[in-house]
Amino acid sequence: MLFSSLLSVGGLLLPSIHAAPAYVPRSPLAVRDATTTPGSTRVLSQQPDFSGDVTKCEGYSVHSVEHTSTGGIWATLSLLAECSAYGTDIHSLALSVEYETPTRLHVHIYDTHLHQYQLDNSIFPRPNATLSGSEASHKSDLKFEYEEKPFAFWVTRKSDGEVLFDTRAKGIPTYDDTIQIEGAYSNYTVLPAHPLIFEDQYLQISSKLPTGANIYGLGEVIAGSGYRRNESATVQTFWTRDVGDPVDENMYGVHAMYMEVRYNEKLKRLQSHGVFLLNSNGMDVILRDGVIEYRAIGGTLDFYFLSGPSPNDVAAQYAHTVGLPQVMPEWSFGFHLCRWGYTSVNDTRSTVTRMREAGIPLEVQWNDIDWMRHYREFQFDQNYDPAEYKAFVDELHSNGQHYIPIIDAAIGILYNDSDSFDVYERGHELDVWMKNPDGTEYVGAVWPGLTVFPDWFNPNMQGVWNEAFYNFSQVVDFDGIWLDMNEPSSFVDGSATNSTISLNETTIVPPNYTPSSPPVDFPEGYWPNTSGLSGNATIGGSLTYGANGSAPKNEALRRDLSSTDMESAKRQIGGYIPTIPYVDEPPYPIRNQAGRLSRNTVSPNATHYGGLQEYNVHNVWGTMEEYATNNMLQALKPGLRPFIVGRSTFAGAGRKTAHWLGDNYSTFAYMKRAIQGVLQFNLFAIPMVGPDTCGFNGNTDEELCNRWMQLSAFFPFYRNHNTKQAISQEPYIWDSVRDASIKAIKARYELLPYWQTLFAEAAHGGAPPVQPLFHEFSSPTYLAIDAQFLIGPSILVTPVLQPNESTVSGLFPTSNGVFWVDWWTHKKVDTSGGENVTLTLPLGEIGVHVRSGSVILVYDQAGYTIADTREGGYGILVVLDGKGYAEGVAKVDDGASLPVTEQTCLTFTAKNRSCLTSAPNGNYTIGGKLKTITIVGVWKVPKKVTFNGHVMDGHKVKYDSQTGTVRIKGVEGDLSSGWEVKWW
């Protein structure tokens, strides 16, 4: 349909056209997967040439087997019988088995002709092997075994004899009945047979699991079951999409990795292992009792098995497999503030001023898409005049603060001959935008209206990206970049134009999703008709929560207390581009909750440089943007650690980016769910992660924001952000939130040397900075706990997650004599009645406890900025265990440089209830002095305290007999040198 008119908006001519008719797919997801009654119908094929019947498939047989120089094997597999379930059978496969490290086994099943897509090493660098030679298999803790006909394999951990992954169909349960997912019976849960299937657009493989398996990972997801996945009713889909934080659906990121944890009765401890499938195609992974099944719509079966055996071992082994996370700039651990709706430079500046007037530390100010002219990236809105914008950012920097703007994924096009946009024009000139199959530019629609999308495979794209940001930086000296909408998101289905449909002839209309009215929803129990739109916890002295007669509980809160040559040979070296017969509607319809694969994103038939289609690489689009942006920042600010926060991530993205948990909601349920998100991404080796604090969608209120500002202060990434038109939720809005925020941020800033140490260790060895309890305490008791979490091994956080409550029950592990002391008061937690302890935490307080036997380097005094805090010097916190012993390490560097060439590791040891020593090792000179030493667990008043043999003046030593705490002030010690403190 032709344009009926052109609408002039701010000098741009925009189309005013009739809406295109909605596309109705042949088998809508609602029909396939949303029935109210149980059934036995399998997932129907979307193409009539394929049966969708996997029971007719017989698998493959092994023919030739060769032992490789690396101790593994290489074999060929032949199809036993035609199958054609959801694609064309591939008759000949290759099997590669490589023992890469003592704890990692690589098993790869791929098509002999190498026509199936595999990620290039430039996108996903394969991990290096440390084992070589014919003895490699003997040095591994993993053992690969197989049956020849039909081919099946299993992987055993040799140290305890546990079979970790087992594809032998005879041992795997089948299911002909559906089971409920999200309240509806799902056909995807029918598992009628478990043959190995390898077709051009359908791969299937299953493994036996223990009954009641403890599975973690398989994300990105907000799982209704919590951090531990529902082992009997899960369908996890991997197809990135723009969606507001749904429960049990596919969303922004793809991480096809899981960790399984089993309790070993003989060893009396938890034993863990990991499984990672490297495949960038769309995929479903199904969990039912006793089975995990993979169903991919392309690619290969490229498995990495990780032996563990501890949970932290698995996390570290996975990080080494996908890439160790980047060390972060120290300033990025400060408090960040943003909202969609700072409509001008002055509006943003006013927020910064009010934060300082309220005394709430603000390290980083952000802007959402308000700064853009008509939401076009790199063009300035009239209320963000370049000169004024530059002056504002310069002010932030002069005050020791930082600035981050948003950049969305799509680039606005030119609407007519008088329109001008240098970024689009430069990209058009160098031909770097994604294409339609006919070679024309693919045109979708996002916030700017009709848009094109960067092609990260194009060798000229990096230059265009660098140039755009360089020009932007001449006005706005940004410190980091926020990458949103990079799934990539598109508000329409398909390309608006191609070689036969011009811009003037398109029938696609970009919808306007900009909020036009305030959201009316508030957290559960808040009644705006009575309480108004203030969000206050009390009005006229009465609680607003429950004023409508309903005080619901947080239903999301649940707790259960009870070899190189071979690698080169099997990649598509030379650039073979796969042919995809059914690129828009693959025969197997993965459970994409948006429905059609092109819905709300770029169509799978969109084409990249060289002819590669989006079908194969959709799930890595966002991560490739993050890589390009990281490269840009390193070129623009050489020698400094880049800071990028991206929404869509793929395995290995932590090497280049941080992540926030997306468009969440202002409810207590989503505050609780933020914990599972942080735990999940720490397992995925993307440790710098956190939610939109106080919630993005909807209206928050005083109580929720109070609790959430305190909780997020103990997450790695700490940002308050909300949507346009919602009530303001900056922490100065309510006095109680202001006070709670100041208290929590003070603790956070004091703990920054500890955070920096944990992230340095993650960047070097892969250990996750934030962990669930069972990572440190090897008991089944803690396997379901995701309402508490550990920061490293030494800090336990217990928040109040229920509305209208001032107490919370938490578990405080006591194995091996462990006890816990309160961070705020240094009082010991009373576990004489058991590990389940009820804490009294009125509004404005959060449970933070320090593990006995810990020594932690802290900053002595929290300042307004991190630079101020760092200049104030250091402190030491020691919590002696029952034997008078404690230990800890701290890794200190300048907090900014990349690569990290100068670093000093401090090793602290307290012993004999009377002595604390520090031993430095490294080449970084620590400038700040040691000001204060606090030792908890000294139960006799010390008569004398010495530092390096010099007696400390009595007025510098304070003793608290209630907590057994000795506090030594005015130390002025040199952390770069060894020192010793004694007390007796």
Side-chain angles (χ1 to χ4, degrees):
M1 186 172 292
L2 299 177
F3 287 121
S4 58
S5 65
L6 287 175
L7 198 62
S8 178
V9 179
L12 287 180
L13 290 178
L14 303 180
S16 173
I17 50 182
H18 297 289
Y23 178 87
V24 180
R26 183 178 292 114
S27 301
L29 184 62
V31 175
R32 296 195 303 261
D33 192 44
T35 58
T36 57
T37 57
S40 60
T41 303
R42 297 184 288 268
V43 178
L44 302 177
S45 173
Q46 293 192 126
Q47 299 297 337
D49 293 340
F50 305 105
S51 67
D53 186 359
V54 299
T55 64
K56 302 293 180 63
C57 304
E58 298 181 15
Y60 290 77
S61 63
V62 179
H63 278 284
S64 59
V65 179
E66 300 176 16
H67 291 275
T68 69
S69 60
T70 59
I73 64 171
W74 187 91
T76 58
L77 309 178
S78 297
L79 185 68
L80 288 171
E82 292 288 340
C83 176
S84 301
Y86 296 103
T88 300
D89 294 299
I90 296 177
H91 289 250
S92 178
L93 304 179
L95 166 68
S96 166
V97 179
E98 299 166 79
Y99 294 93
E100 295 188 338
T101 75
T103 58
R104 186 177 73 231
L105 172 68
H106 186 190
V107 177
H108 192 183
I109 304 170
Y110 56 98
D111 59 311
T112 305
H113 296 298
L114 301 176
H115 287 181
Q116 295 288 103
Y117 181 73
Q118 299 176 47
L119 282 173
D120 186 84
N121 281 334
S122 64
I123 306 170
F124 186 90
R126 267 55 177 189
N128 294 324
T130 62
L131 297 179
S132 61
S134 58
E135 295 297 311
S137 61
H138 300 295
K139 297 176 182 177
S140 174
D141 191 30
L142 295 170
K143 183 180 181 181
F144 175 89
E145 298 175 273
Y146 66 95
E147 290 179 347
E148 292 187 352
K149 186 176 181 180
F151 167 72
F153 72 90
W154 60 100
V155 176
T156 305
R157 184 168 49 212
K158 293 189 288 189
S159 56
D160 62 2
E162 282 287 308
V163 177
L164 310 181
F165 197 84
D166 189 348
T167 71
R168 291 172 287 188
K170 61 185 178 184
I172 307 175
T174 59
Y175 291 94
D176 292 319
D177 61 311
T178 58
I179 198 168
Q180 286 187 331
I181 304 287
E182 301 173 65
Y185 288 92
S186 172
N187 293 346
Y188 288 79
T189 61
V190 176
L191 307 177
H194 299 292
L196 170 62
I197 302 174
F198 205 116
E199 299 169 342
D200 61 345
Q201 288 189 257
Y202 185 71
L203 281 61
Q204 177 181 301
I205 193 168
S206 306
S207 173
K208 180 181 179 181
L209 288 176
T211 301
N214 300 295
I215 302 291
Y216 306 87
L218 297 176
E220 180 176 8
V221 67
I222 298 172
S225 60
Y227 180 49
R228 184 171 67 176
R229 303 306 301 271
N230 184 340
E231 80 288 352
S232 62
T234 287
V235 179
Q236 179 62 51
T237 300
F238 295 107
W239 186 259
T240 62
R241 69 179 181 128
D242 171 10
V243 60
D245 282 18
V247 176
D248 287 324
E249 296 181 9
N250 58 308
M251 44 193 300
Y252 315 111
V254 164
H255 302 273
M257 174 270 184
Y258 73 85
M259 176 174 68
E260 186 197 337
V261 184
R262 304 175 187 176
Y263 184 70
N264 188 303
E265 288 285 356
K266 182 178 180 181
L267 298 175
K268 301 299 180 184
R269 66 169 182 256
L270 301 175
Q271 297 280 88
S272 304
H273 66 275
V275 179
F276 167 48
L277 175 57
L278 176 58
N279 186 312
S280 61
N281 283 87
M283 178 168 37
D284 288 330
V285 177
I286 297 92
L287 293 173
R288 292 199 66 172
D289 289 317
V291 59
I292 181 170
E293 181 168 286
Y294 295 83
R295 302 170 180 171
I297 58 173
T300 66
L301 297 172
D302 197 355
F303 283 103
Y304 291 86
F305 299 97
L306 312 170
S307 69
S310 77
N312 276 343
D313 289 337
V314 173
Q317 291 156 15
Y318 178 70
H320 278 281
T321 301
V322 301
L324 293 165
Q326 177 195 290
V327 62
M328 292 292 163
E330 188 173 30
W331 61 261
S332 68
F333 289 90
F335 175 62
H336 304 241
L337 183 60
C338 185
R339 77 162 298 161
W340 183 12
Y342 293 141
T343 58
S344 67
V345 170
N346 283 334
D347 196 4
T348 312
R349 180 187 281 117
S350 174
T351 298
V352 175
T353 300
R354 292 186 66 181
M355 286 290 288
R356 189 175 287 272
E357 290 173 347
I360 308 168
L362 173 62
E363 186 69 18
V364 193
Q365 180 62 49
W366 297 44
N367 275 117
D368 209 315
I369 57 178
D370 306 280
W371 72 267
M372 303 173 189
R373 178 174 176 262
H374 303 304
Y375 298 149
R376 273 185 176 177
E377 285 76 3
F378 306 107
Q379 288 193 333
F380 300 104
D381 181 80
Q382 61 183 0
N383 293 320
Y384 283 80
D385 175 76
E388 190 177 8
Y389 199 173
K390 181 181 190 310
F392 166 63
V393 175
D394 290 346
E395 287 169 18
L396 287 174
H397 289 157
S398 68
N399 290 324
Q401 295 169 294
H402 297 80
Y403 179 74
I404 293 177
I406 194 172
I407 292 291
D408 282 344
I411 303 297
I413 67 168
L414 302 183
Y415 278 98
N416 52 54
D417 291 342
S418 65
D419 193 4
S420 177
F421 182 21
D422 60 338
V423 176
Y424 168 76
E425 292 172 277
R426 182 60 169 159
H428 179 77
E429 174 190 356
L430 294 179
D431 199 27
V432 301
W433 309 127
M434 290 177 67
K435 301 291 191 296
N436 289 305
D438 61 14
T440 58
E441 288 178 352
Y442 183 100
V443 178
V446 197
W447 298 119
L450 297 177
T451 60
V452 291
F453 297 83
D455 177 7
W456 307 112
F457 290 87
N458 191 302
N460 291 324
M461 187 63 237
Q462 184 73 65
V464 173
W465 205 238
N466 287 9
E467 181 180 314
F469 277 99
Y470 172 79
N471 292 337
F472 181 40
S473 73
Q474 300 309 292
V475 175
V476 179
D477 184 16
F478 49 83
D479 299 285
I481 292 294
W482 173 20
L483 297 174
D484 195 9
M485 312 291 285
N486 63 341
E487 290 70 36
S489 175
S490 179
F491 297 160
V492 295
D493 189 339
S495 179
T497 66
N498 55 38
S499 60
T500 61
I501 302 175
S502 70
L503 181 62
N504 289 334
E505 296 170 327
T506 185
T507 59
I508 287 183
V509 183
N512 182 4
Y513 288 138
T514 304
S516 58
S517 60
V520 296
D521 50 325
F522 279 81
E524 311 91 334
Y526 184 86
W527 193 241
N529 289 352
T530 299
S531 309
L533 295 175
S534 67
N536 292 351
T538 60
I539 292 181
S542 299
L543 281 173
T544 57
Y545 184 85
N548 62 337
S550 173
K553 294 294 186 182
N554 181 357
E555 293 182 357
L557 185 60
R558 59 186 297 277
R559 173 165 294 168
D560 181 3
L561 294 177
S562 57
S563 85
T564 304
D565 289 339
M566 184 175 291
E567 282 297 319
S568 297
K570 65 193 185 191
R571 307 290 167 205
Q572 288 121 350
I573 304 302
Y576 177 85
I577 302 301
T579 299
I580 307 166
Y582 301 101
V583 66
D584 291 313
E585 288 188 321
Y588 177 79
I590 61 171
R591 191 177 179 264
N592 175 29
Q593 288 296 298
R596 181 172 155 88
L597 294 182
S598 56
R599 181 81 180 273
N600 293 343
T601 188
V602 170
S603 294
N605 71 359
T607 307
H608 293 273
Y609 181 83
L612 181 66
Q613 290 183 293
E614 178 74 357
Y615 180 93
N616 287 309
V617 294
H618 171 77
N619 288 332
V620 299
W621 199 99
T623 292
M624 293 185 72
E625 183 193 33
E626 289 145 11
Y627 290 175
T629 306
N630 190 289
N631 293 339
M632 175 277 297
L633 282 169
Q634 291 198 59
L636 193 62
K637 298 175 180 288
L640 295 180
R641 299 170 193 178
F643 185 68
I644 299 157
V645 180
R647 191 167 71 175
S648 182
T649 57
F650 187 77
R655 298 184 299 116
K656 302 289 185 179
T657 191
H659 173 65
W660 98 101
L661 296 172
D663 296 345
N664 64 358
Y665 295 84
S666 297
T667 67
F668 282 85
Y670 274 87
M671 176 170 61
K672 188 269 177 182
R673 288 167 178 152
I675 300 175
Q676 65 162 284
V678 171
L679 293 174
Q680 190 179 117
F681 275 86
N682 273 258
L683 179 61
F684 295 155
I686 309 177
M688 180 56 95
V689 60
D692 278 348
T693 298
C694 300
F696 175 76
N697 287 304
N699 290 310
T700 193
D701 72 4
E702 181 179 2
E703 181 189 12
L704 175 62
C705 201
N706 187 308
R707 293 297 191 191
W708 209 332
M709 281 294 294
Q710 290 214 308
L711 171 60
S712 287
F714 298 93
F715 289 151
F717 176 55
Y718 184 19
R719 183 184 72 166
N720 180 315
H721 175 52
N722 68 328
T723 191
K724 197 170 187 176
Q725 303 292 334
I727 65 169
S728 296
Q729 62 185 43
E730 292 86 358
Y732 53 69
I733 296 296
W734 302 280
D735 290 349
S736 77
V737 180
R738 176 200 62 202
D739 296 343
S741 300
I742 291 172
K743 179 178 181 178
I745 294 172
K746 179 178 184 293
R748 177 183 180 86
Y749 282 18
E750 289 172 356
L751 279 167
L752 285 178
Y754 183 62
W755 277 113
Q756 285 285 83
T757 297
L758 295 173
F759 270 75
E761 291 176 338
H764 177 73
V770 180
Q771 310 165 8
L773 271 69
F774 71 82
H775 277 229
E776 286 290 325
F777 301 98
S778 193
S779 166
T781 303
Y782 315 112
L783 287 171
I785 301 301
D786 59 3
Q788 294 173 278
F789 58 94
L790 292 163
I791 305 173
S794 296
I795 302 291
L796 175 60
V797 180
T798 310
V800 175
L801 299 169
Q802 285 283 16
N804 207 28
E805 292 190 2
S806 297
T807 61
V808 64
S809 294
L811 286 177
F812 290 82
T814 59
S815 58
N816 299 316
V818 168
F819 59 87
W820 302 86
V821 302
D822 191 288
W823 163 269
W824 314 101
T825 66
H826 298 157
K827 291 182 180 179
K828 182 179 177 181
V829 175
D830 183 6
T831 54
S832 60
E835 293 185 346
N836 189 18
V837 177
T838 298
L839 304 177
T840 299
L841 297 170
L843 194 63
E845 295 187 17
I846 184 172
V848 182
H849 293 83
V850 185
R851 182 180 182 174
S852 61
S854 300
V855 182
I856 300 174
L857 181 69
V858 298
Y859 281 131
D860 189 52
Q861 294 291 331
Y864 190 77
T865 66
I866 289 177
D868 296 338
T869 302
R870 189 178 180 108
E871 289 175 2
Y874 294 87
I876 302 285
L877 173 63
V878 182
V879 179
L880 300 174
D881 67 12
K883 298 179 181 179
Y885 181 84
E887 63 183 9
V889 297
K891 294 185 176 181
V892 186
D893 56 45
D894 66 7
S897 298
L898 190 74
V900 181
T901 58
E902 295 184 5
Q903 185 182 74
T904 292
C905 180
L906 307 175
T907 301
F908 305 112
T909 306
K911 56 186 178 181
N912 301 328
R913 306 181 190 275
S914 63
C915 179
L916 170 67
T917 61
S918 173
N921 180 31
N923 60 351
Y924 177 70
T925 301
I926 303 172
K929 294 295 185 181
L930 175 61
K931 302 285 190 177
T932 305
I933 300 173
T934 303
I935 307 164
V936 182
V938 179
W939 295 106
K940 291 183 180 180
V941 181
K943 297 178 181 179
K944 185 181 291 187
V945 176
T946 63
F947 182 80
N948 283 343
H950 299 285
V951 178
M952 299 297 295
D953 292 341
H955 70 277
K956 293 183 177 181
V957 180
K958 301 295 182 182
Y959 181 72
D960 183 345
S961 60
Q962 297 296 312
T963 60
T965 300
V966 176
R967 184 170 174 82
I968 310 166
K969 291 187 173 182
V971 177
E972 296 299 322
D974 181 3
L975 285 168
S976 296
S977 301
W979 50 262
E980 179 183 67
V981 174
K982 290 186 175 181
W983 61 92
W984 64 93

